[in-house]
Amino acid sequence: MRKLGPLSRWRSSVDDRGYASAMPATRQAIEQETDRVRTVQDKQAPKYDRQISFFERILFGDGRAWVCSQARGKVLELACGTARNLPSYPSAVELTGIELSPQMLAIGRQRAQELGHPADLRLGDVQTLEFPDESFDTVACTLGFCTIPDTRAAAAEAFRVLRAGGQLLLLEHVRSPARIVRGGQRLLEPLAVRFEADHLLRDPVDYLSGAGFEIDEVQRSKWGIVERLRAHKPG
């Protein structure tokens, strides 16, 4: 696992204008893509846990634990999916989860019930959160920004609902800085987006600063494909 230095060093190593995935340009297009993502994830829900467990073994390792172990206070998890993160959170946190897919959420609620976990898991859209400003101490997301149609809107909403000094914690797969790996990602991107609603060339580093966050730590592993990121809302 490699920790990066100042953000400018990382940004200069990748031409994000050339490799960042295009996002829907209009509100109508974003709404249509959001509906499509919901449909894709509803279809994936019954097999998601089985599929993602494979990638957790070969790519993501203890990334979920890395994110959840740092969560403090009132926590909002974006795109909580089937609630795979529940066992990794400290017992003292007050957890709220938001999920777009009703089928994913149903599995997540069943998991919470089986674990006896008091998490408040809700159906919703992370691009338009229904919470007041400065409601949470921590916002977390694991493998979610790769599917959100409007990532900048989601980042802005995360910033809005965080209290001053609050932290953002992410685990994500991103475009690789290695040219040969990134070339493979570019070839696979159209198929991944079409069939999985999964963008391979995105990187939250591109847009979090624009939303107001200060990035504190970025760790990259697995040929730069896996990213762990910690940021905060200035206070």
Side-chain angles (χ1 to χ4, degrees):
M1 187 76 66
R2 180 166 63 94
K3 292 187 178 182
L4 300 175
L7 181 59
S8 59
R9 283 172 52 195
W10 169 246
R11 292 185 64 87
S12 64
S13 68
V14 174
D15 182 1
D16 53 22
R17 293 170 299 175
Y19 293 108
S21 299
M23 290 190 297
T26 67
R27 176 52 50 188
Q28 182 180 9
I30 290 169
E31 291 174 354
Q32 290 174 345
E33 180 63 8
T34 301
D35 288 341
R36 190 184 77 87
V37 169
R38 182 185 294 109
T39 299
V40 168
Q41 293 184 336
D42 277 345
K43 187 178 298 185
Q44 289 177 336
K47 56 186 178 182
Y48 176 78
D49 283 332
R50 182 175 66 256
Q51 291 179 338
I52 198 62
S53 64
F54 169 76
F55 290 103
E56 287 170 350
R57 289 194 301 272
I58 67 170
L59 278 180
F60 302 118
D62 64 348
R64 292 182 185 273
W66 184 88
V67 167
C68 298
S69 65
Q70 299 180 76
R72 299 290 183 270
K74 293 189 66 175
V75 179
L76 175 64
E77 183 176 332
L78 307 179
C80 63
T82 62
R84 288 182 68 83
N85 290 337
L86 287 187
S88 299
Y89 281 107
S91 58
V93 305
E94 181 181 341
L95 179 64
T96 301
I98 296 295
E99 173 54 40
L100 181 67
S101 160
Q103 297 303 316
M104 290 277 197
L105 183 64
I107 296 171
R109 285 174 170 169
Q110 179 64 32
R111 173 171 275 127
Q113 183 177 1
E114 292 172 355
L115 292 172
H117 199 291
D120 178 7
L121 304 181
R122 307 183 185 186
L123 194 66
D125 184 350
V126 301
Q127 300 164 126
T128 54
L129 293 171
E130 296 181 351
F131 298 105
D133 296 354
E134 301 186 347
S135 297
F136 296 94
D137 303 295
T138 303
V139 173
C141 187
T142 58
L143 309 176
F145 273 88
C146 53
T147 63
I148 296 168
D150 191 343
T151 54
R152 288 172 174 80
E157 282 291 87
F159 187 86
R160 179 182 66 80
V161 301
L162 267 177
R163 293 170 180 148
Q167 61 180 343
L168 175 70
L169 300 166
L170 301 181
L171 169 70
E172 195 55 79
H173 66 79
V174 298
R175 67 174 178 270
S176 172
R179 182 173 298 179
I180 189 169
V181 178
R182 190 168 64 244
Q185 290 177 303
R186 294 186 74 185
L187 289 174
L188 293 172
E189 172 90 351
L191 292 175
V193 172
R194 179 176 179 180
F195 294 109
E196 304 290 332
D198 190 9
H199 294 258
L200 307 181
L201 297 173
R202 290 178 173 178
D203 187 342
V205 170
D206 294 341
Y207 50 81
L208 289 180
S209 296
F213 286 102
E214 292 186 5
I215 298 177
D216 303 306
E217 181 180 4
V218 178
Q219 299 181 12
R220 300 294 290 270
S221 62
K222 302 296 183 179
W223 308 283
I225 294 172
V226 177
E227 181 172 281
R228 303 178 183 188
L229 186 147
R230 180 171 53 83
H232 73 276
K233 179 176 181 175

